[in-house]
Amino acid sequence: MDRQKDVLLDIQHLHTGYRLGGKFYDAADDINLTLKKDEILAIVGESGCGKSTIAASIIGLYDHKNTKVTGDILYNELNLVGLNENLFDKIRGNNIGMIFQDPLSSLNPLMRVGDQVAETLYYHTDMNEEQRHARVIELFNQVGMPKPEETYAMYPHELSGGLRQRVVIAIAIACKPEIIIADEPTTALDVTIQAQILDLLEDIQRQSHSGIILITHDLGVVAETADEVAVMYAGQIVEKADVKTIFEHPLHPYTRSLLNSMPQADDEDAADLHVIQGTVPSLKNMPRTGDRFAARIPWIPASAHEAEPVMHEVEPNHFVRCTCYKEFHFKNEEGVQA
Amino acid sequence: MAKEILQIKDLRVLFPIRSGFWNRITDYVRAVDGINFSIEEGETYGLIGESGSGKSTTGKAIVGVQKATSGQIIYKGLDVTQARNRKKLGYNKDVQMIFQDSMSSLNPRKRIEDIIAEPIRNFEDLTTDEERQRVQELLDIVGMPSDSIYKFPHEFSGGQRQRIGVARAVATNPKLIVADEPTSALDLSVQAQVLNFMKHIQQEYNISYLFISHDLGVVKHMSENIAIMHRGRLVEVGTKDEIYKHPMHIYTKRLLSAIPKVDVEHRDENKRRREEVEAEFQHDQKKWYDKDGRVFPLQQLSPTHWVALPKKEVQAQLKEEK
């Protein structure tokens, strides 16, 4: 099948639980996602919704004692769940690149930045020292680093935040990975720098035809860069569609509320922002049955929710969890609706 | 026109750089380099800038946490950069601050009651019962349950903690609150909550805000007048419409074009415009900054709109628009 060929990463029924007081609680609950070639898949949600947990599960960077991962993460007929550490070392950094939020804490402060990029090449390729140096310069050029030769010998603290993030990106793409996981890559940066870094990510993706998983809480970033979007709430994916559908015809109450609570630079009226009632339940107190978002929209009758909400394909490639979206309306619209 | 509550005149905050054998002062970091603006009664004044632009230092200098090197801050006709005048006017009671990081701005070893009551105890003489009643009222204003007075900061979520910070800031019935990035550590839905509370409180008590932020969407939602700060100086001052619809300075245009927009339909177009502006900005640095790389002095365009460009550049741009 043609469709099957382009799939880089196939996540099926992924459960990632953390041990809290002797019991495991699922922070990512039954996640099904596929990442295709030439695609930027955005996972968006608020803090604590489990989006970074998914990233950690894919690249196997979690505390093996206190984390339980079940399900399948299929990459090239290889299941990344419970994969042998030695084998994983070969994949991590080579086939899957990673970009983290805070570039200062993901770089070694005692090592020249050029050497840090070369280190990845040292572990994953047979290049000799000269070739590695040349490749690092090439990478620095690719990520738009001014004066690559001089930057090679600098330490992370000598660089600005935007340049540091460029170094991290250079490390991530050094071995031309098929998959890049970017966990909040621009959250610590200024808007102008953020725009540059996002454009850079898009360029890289276009050149290398890799798939990028972009994890973020910023809906603006999603609208500007993503192709496919998965919206997460309380450990579950609640809506999944292409980027146009998510922003133009969102269906799930959470997606709609989130879009409504966003102050925008080009909105005119200065009315009150929409507030989602209540708070996200903590991992321990998360309801394990029923619709998890039901408590935040109490004016919707209980009969609207499914007992065991599942994903429904409402249109081709547009999935929504639970049936409550059919009866959902915003509270202040109540009079209008009637 | 509404009454001005605070006037800032040629404010400068310099940090010395010491070097050499004798550790002499060799140069200065010009964190705030001669800025002028004024805040009207009951308005929200937005101060936008990227990191390192000096916006937080400005806020700190206004509250009095950071000593101004030169310049004046006029409140009720007196210069409050002098401690003597601050005391005379009760300035420290009238001007309060909301901080960015609610976890590190609330004492982890104090109960919420003591945290909110601290400014009241400093400035007012209330009995224990009166004080408790006042704290309860304040918690009511920000929509917190009444049993929270016995709890500690760590028992609350980020949004709740920031609301406690707001309650503490309004405890002394201030006239002006300096809010330094009050919501940048919060999630979207929680941010909406805190911003709504800040607006309601403003309407009820006629408080002015100096709203410092890097988020242009939030500032547009909150403020009427906006100043854009860059390299310690103001590059553009104007009303909301003037800044967002008719930006004159390239730096303002660059900031505006860099905000990610929720507009999937036109995203390629937005990207192209962003690249154009960026190219223009990189290409003609001489046009936008003087020979030392400083921002030019402000030129007046209309009663409310000011831009930091040389005179002939302003005229050229106005012609172009026509």
Side-chain angles (χ1 to χ4, degrees):
Chain A
M1 273 194 299
D2 204 38
R3 194 162 162 258
Q4 209 63 31
K5 209 177 72 189
D6 286 344
V7 172
L8 284 175
L9 201 66
D10 193 5
I11 303 174
Q12 282 176 359
H13 304 291
L14 176 75
H15 291 257
T16 305
Y18 296 118
R19 192 202 296 271
L20 289 172
K23 271 177 83 179
F24 285 100
Y25 294 90
D26 278 355
D29 202 344
D30 197 21
I31 303 295
N32 294 295
L33 279 174
T34 51
L35 175 70
K36 295 196 198 77
K37 240 180 174 171
D38 276 319
E39 176 182 88
I40 298 183
L41 168 71
I43 303 178
V44 60
E46 296 182 288
S47 42
C49 73
K51 53 192 195 299
S52 292
T53 301
I54 295 178
S57 311
I58 295 171
I59 57 184
L61 287 181
Y62 45 81
D63 177 2
H64 287 262
K65 248 188 190 161
N66 295 314
T67 317
K68 193 168 79 182
V69 183
T70 55
D72 300 307
I73 302 173
L74 298 173
Y75 168 71
N76 280 351
E77 271 117 62
L78 213 61
N79 194 347
L80 298 185
V81 174
L83 189 70
N84 177 319
E85 246 337 276
N86 290 333
L87 215 55
F88 224 138
D89 278 344
K90 288 201 182 104
I91 291 174
R92 220 184 272 137
N94 194 14
N95 304 76
I96 304 179
M98 287 157 287
I99 301 164
F100 297 102
Q101 176 176 355
D102 183 4
L104 191 59
S105 56
S106 52
L107 290 172
N108 184 344
L110 299 175
M111 211 169 150
R112 296 176 199 280
V113 292
D115 291 336
Q116 297 191 44
V117 184
E119 194 187 18
T120 320
L121 298 168
Y122 174 81
Y123 282 110
H124 294 295
T125 62
D126 320 320
M127 292 181 187
N128 63 29
E129 207 174 328
E130 270 165 44
Q131 286 170 321
R132 286 203 294 269
H133 189 275
R135 172 84 179 125
V136 172
I137 301 299
E138 189 190 323
L139 282 165
F140 276 177
N141 274 319
Q142 197 186 343
V143 297
M145 190 78 84
K147 301 176 193 161
E149 281 287 354
E150 281 163 49
T151 317
Y152 189 100
M154 284 189 180
Y155 289 94
H157 72 266
E158 295 176 278
L159 299 173
S160 67
L163 291 187
R164 273 182 220 141
Q165 197 60 291
R166 281 169 202 266
V167 173
V168 174
I169 293 175
I171 295 174
I173 62 168
C175 300
K176 298 180 181 145
E178 283 184 287
I179 299 168
I180 299 170
I181 296 170
D183 189 356
E184 305 262 9
T186 58
T187 309
L189 305 174
D190 278 326
V191 271
T192 48
I193 313 293
Q194 162 170 296
Q196 289 167 17
I197 296 290
L198 291 176
D199 288 345
L200 174 65
L201 273 178
E202 273 184 86
D203 289 343
I204 286 168
Q205 192 245 20
R206 215 162 292 149
Q207 284 166 21
S208 62
H209 303 288
S210 49
I212 297 182
I213 297 182
L214 178 72
I215 293 168
T216 180
H217 69 277
D218 190 334
L219 291 165
V221 169
V222 175
E224 292 257 328
T225 45
D227 301 313
E228 294 284 319
V229 184
V231 182
M232 284 190 73
Y233 176 76
Q236 291 177 320
I237 293 174
V238 293
E239 188 160 4
K240 197 165 71 174
D242 62 281
V243 64
K244 228 172 148 182
T245 316
I246 285 282
F247 285 98
E248 279 162 18
H249 317 283
L251 284 177
H252 196 275
Y254 181 63
T255 319
R256 290 178 60 187
S257 309
L258 212 54
L259 282 167
N260 245 16
S261 63
M262 196 177 170
Q264 278 178 37
D266 45 0
D267 89 52
E268 287 308 316
D269 58 297
D272 269 2
L273 296 165
H274 176 72
V275 171
I276 305 176
Q277 283 190 16
T279 50
V280 184
S282 69
L283 191 52
K284 251 181 165 170
N285 303 325
M286 200 100 75
R288 295 287 161 191
T289 53
D291 188 358
R292 295 181 186 185
F293 196 61
R296 311 283 300 269
I297 42 170
W299 63 91
I300 303 295
S303 57
H305 299 285
E306 283 177 307
E308 278 306 323
V310 287
M311 296 292 271
H312 301 278
E313 187 161 13
V314 286
E315 294 163 88
N317 195 31
H318 185 180
F319 297 87
V320 184
R321 189 175 290 274
C322 193
T323 48
C324 61
Y325 71 89
K326 286 178 191 156
E327 287 184 43
F328 177 72
H329 53 86
F330 288 111
K331 207 175 182 189
N332 41 8
E333 290 174 355
E334 227 158 6
V336 186
Q337 290 272 321
Chain B
M1 215 171 109
K3 224 179 95 205
E4 280 170 358
I5 182 167
L6 195 78
Q7 266 181 297
I8 286 140
K9 288 186 176 168
D10 207 28
L11 180 73
R12 243 170 254 269
V13 181
L14 308 182
F15 297 110
I17 301 170
R18 290 171 184 276
S19 62
F21 182 70
W22 302 106
N23 221 12
R24 286 206 176 109
I25 295 169
T26 49
D27 201 358
Y28 293 95
V29 175
R30 294 164 190 276
V32 180
D33 195 6
I35 63 168
N36 296 284
F37 63 91
S38 52
I39 302 170
E40 284 167 18
E41 215 166 72
E43 79 156 350
T44 304
Y45 196 91
L47 188 60
I48 303 175
E50 293 190 283
S51 43
S53 63
K55 58 188 193 303
S56 290
T57 312
T58 308
K60 282 181 186 162
I62 290 171
V63 184
V65 195
Q66 171 70 49
K67 215 170 156 357
T69 313
S70 68
Q72 292 178 311
I73 299 169
I74 312 281
Y75 179 73
K76 289 185 182 165
L78 289 175
D79 179 14
V80 288
T81 51
Q82 283 163 329
R84 177 160 43 98
N85 290 338
R86 271 214 294 277
K87 197 148 199 187
K88 202 156 112 196
L89 297 171
Y91 182 76
N92 291 350
K93 176 172 175 270
D94 285 354
V95 177
Q96 294 289 324
M97 190 158 182
I98 301 170
F99 299 91
Q100 172 175 2
D101 183 0
S102 56
M103 195 67 218
S104 58
S105 62
L106 303 176
N107 189 337
R109 299 174 63 172
K110 278 188 176 175
R111 290 177 193 278
I112 298 308
E113 182 180 17
D114 296 315
I115 288 173
I116 296 181
E118 191 172 344
I120 305 174
R121 286 173 195 159
N122 284 341
F123 295 111
E124 278 164 61
D125 208 8
L126 297 181
T127 63
T128 323
D129 285 345
E130 282 170 340
E131 184 191 290
R132 174 154 298 178
Q133 203 187 340
R134 180 93 184 101
V135 171
Q136 289 286 10
E137 278 169 27
L138 288 163
L139 284 174
D140 244 19
I141 293 171
V142 294
M144 301 278 291
S146 58
D147 65 336
S148 26
I149 58 169
Y150 303 111
K151 290 186 180 167
F152 289 97
H154 71 261
E155 296 176 63
F156 295 96
S157 69
Q160 287 175 317
R161 275 203 296 271
Q162 198 56 290
R163 269 144 63 188
I164 293 166
V166 173
R168 177 175 63 178
V170 294
T172 58
N173 291 322
K175 303 281 187 313
L176 171 71
I177 293 179
V178 175
D180 190 355
E181 306 252 14
T183 58
S184 43
L186 303 176
D187 272 326
L188 251 189
S189 60
V190 183
Q191 163 175 298
Q193 231 171 40
V194 173
L195 291 180
N196 285 350
F197 274 119
M198 283 180 71
K199 272 206 157 172
H200 293 165
I201 289 167
Q202 175 170 45
Q203 279 153 12
E204 206 159 314
Y205 299 93
N206 198 29
I207 299 171
S208 311
Y209 288 123
L210 175 66
F211 197 95
I212 301 172
S213 180
H214 68 276
D215 188 328
L216 288 96
V218 173
V219 171
K220 183 170 185 197
H221 179 76
M222 294 295 287
S223 351
E224 291 93 53
N225 291 305
I226 292 166
I228 302 212
M229 203 167 172
H230 179 44
R231 302 190 186 172
R233 290 168 69 88
L234 299 180
V235 294
E236 197 157 354
V237 179
T239 61
K240 184 160 69 176
D241 280 352
E242 283 164 344
I243 295 284
Y244 283 88
K245 293 208 179 116
H246 308 286
M248 291 290 284
H249 199 278
I250 187 75
Y251 184 74
T252 315
K253 290 181 192 167
R254 186 168 167 244
L255 271 185
L256 287 173
S257 67
I259 326 169
K261 292 169 194 68
V262 188
D263 183 6
V264 185
E265 197 85 42
H266 301 107
R267 77 178 183 193
D268 291 330
E269 215 171 289
N270 288 335
K271 189 178 173 183
R272 210 170 39 246
R273 185 166 328 130
R274 187 161 70 227
E275 276 161 359
E276 272 168 30
V277 172
E278 184 66 30
E280 198 184 342
F281 175 76
Q282 296 297 347
H283 178 67
D284 251 345
Q285 291 277 327
K286 280 232 178 60
K287 209 157 121 187
W288 316 112
Y289 303 104
D290 68 8
K291 59 183 192 306
D292 303 324
R294 276 174 83 196
V295 174
F296 288 111
L298 288 171
Q299 298 284 337
Q300 191 159 19
L301 297 175
S302 75
T304 50
H305 197 176
W306 303 68
V307 67
L309 284 175
K311 264 212 175 89
K312 67 173 198 273
E313 189 58 43
V314 172
Q315 277 157 359
Q317 282 221 17
L318 284 177
K319 235 180 235 167
E320 214 172 276
E321 251 175 51
K322 275 172 192 164

